[in-house]
Amino acid sequence: MRAKLIAGNWKMHLTLAGATALVEEFLGSYRPKPDVDVVVCPGFVALSKVRSLIKDTPLKLGGQDVFWEEEGAFTGKVSPAMLADVGADYCIVGHSEARGRFGGGQVDPNLLPFFVETHESLHQKIEALLYRAITPILCIGETLAERDAGRADAVVEQQIRGTLQGLEPSALFGVVLAYEPVWAIGTGKVCEAEEAGRMCGIVRETLRDLSDDDVATTARILYGGSLKPDNAYAVFQQPDVDGGLVGGASLNAASFAQIVHAA
Ligand code: PGA
């Protein structure tokens, strides 16, 4: 049986003081379970602080993005070696907000070229993380326009194939994927539990086709997009959903604890 995984994506929120308060409050009510892993993904500058706060707990640490080179003249980038050094166990890759795909459309279209990811850049990031034994959490998901055009399944399949093609099953063993429909991220619009389950099933079958049975059976596939204490349980009941990538609700200790409890 696959252990569930709940990851909190703090995005560009919280100062060191805010991060400390959130972790301390969460740990106050957190009752670890052997079959539920919990990861927190703070902004880069809070990683070290959060590592020290969770060091004697089963909580795991994750980055929100990474660059693929180990070191060098790459101003503003953070390498897998740096993430490993600070004790990161996981790293989000290809989040829709890093791909310039926003559910709420908050960014001036003229600024969209600032957000660039390609299948190749994501592939490089995943290889570089695996080299450092950091588990990638690869995000995939369709926009509302793509869903309305009946292309949701195909888009998700293409994203997975485009990024993971060429990686050996041994490299992909234990990989985490997060199905996050862009239209449900930060919008309060929730994907119906059964549809979330169906899409996560497509993710698993794509992985099976691209790799092998072992990889597909052991991969943990998360749902993300407006997960809240009142909808998490139904989503986690779906056989192909192995947990969640939680944005907004992970910034509130009580809500995050309830989502973990639902898992
Ligand atoms: P949300 O974000 O829970 O705030 O919708 C999820 C995510 O972007 O990972």
Side-chain angles (χ1 to χ4, degrees):
M1 214 192 79
R2 297 180 293 267
K4 289 263 192 289
L5 174 69
I6 305 296
N9 174 11
W10 295 359
K11 308 192 178 184
M12 201 175 68
H13 292 286
L14 301 177
T15 58
L16 290 182
T20 304
L22 177 61
V23 171
E24 284 176 349
E25 192 185 339
F26 176 75
L27 287 175
S29 62
Y30 174 49
R31 299 287 166 267
K33 294 261 162 53
D35 52 355
V36 183
D37 297 330
V38 181
V39 184
V40 286
C41 304
F44 289 132
V45 293
L47 281 169
S48 178
K49 177 70 195 174
V50 172
R51 171 87 274 161
S52 69
L53 292 167
I54 64 174
K55 71 177 187 318
D56 298 323
T57 79
L59 285 191
K60 304 281 188 208
L61 190 68
Q64 295 179 13
D65 199 1
V66 70
F67 192 60
W68 53 85
E69 295 287 347
E70 279 281 284
E71 67 168 308
F74 301 106
T75 302
K77 304 295 187 202
V78 169
S79 74
M82 291 168 170
L83 287 182
D85 185 47
V86 82
D89 311 281
Y90 293 84
C91 184
I92 296 169
V93 173
H95 190 281
S96 54
E97 288 155 9
R99 297 179 192 245
R101 288 152 62 90
F102 296 89
Q106 313 88 320
V107 170
D108 181 332
N110 291 319
L111 293 176
L112 283 180
F114 189 77
F115 302 86
V116 178
E117 288 281 20
T118 64
H119 289 154
E120 289 72 25
S121 65
L122 298 173
H123 184 99
Q124 300 252 69
K125 288 178 179 189
I126 287 175
E127 274 196 318
L129 287 168
L130 293 172
Y131 178 73
R132 283 284 169 186
I134 296 172
T135 303
I137 302 177
L138 172 64
C139 301
I140 64 261
E142 80 287 355
T143 62
L144 189 57
E146 288 162 347
R147 173 158 287 263
D148 287 346
R151 296 184 47 231
D153 303 13
V155 166
V156 163
E157 211 185 307
Q158 277 161 14
Q159 288 173 338
I160 299 170
R161 287 185 188 280
T163 302
L164 299 183
Q165 199 95 51
L167 290 170
E168 293 297 320
S170 58
L172 289 175
F173 193 77
V175 74
V176 178
L177 284 94
Y179 166 64
E180 299 207 301
V182 176
W183 48 271
I185 296 179
T187 58
K189 286 185 202 142
V190 195
C191 186
E192 291 296 326
E194 276 173 21
E195 178 60 7
R198 189 187 71 83
M199 291 302 291
C200 288
I202 288 175
V203 174
R204 196 176 306 285
E205 288 321 304
T206 305
L207 207 49
R208 193 182 315 277
D209 192 50
L210 191 71
S211 189
D212 66 19
D213 269 347
D214 276 357
V215 168
T217 309
T218 51
R220 288 190 286 181
I221 300 173
L222 315 183
Y223 168 79
S226 295
L227 265 179
K228 300 281 179 292
D230 60 1
N231 58 31
Y233 183 74
V235 175
F236 298 160
Q237 290 277 82
Q238 301 296 314
D240 277 312
V241 178
D242 303 310
L245 183 54
V246 188
S250 72
L251 296 169
N252 178 294
S255 299
F256 193 54
Q258 284 170 46
I259 293 173
V260 170
H261 186 70

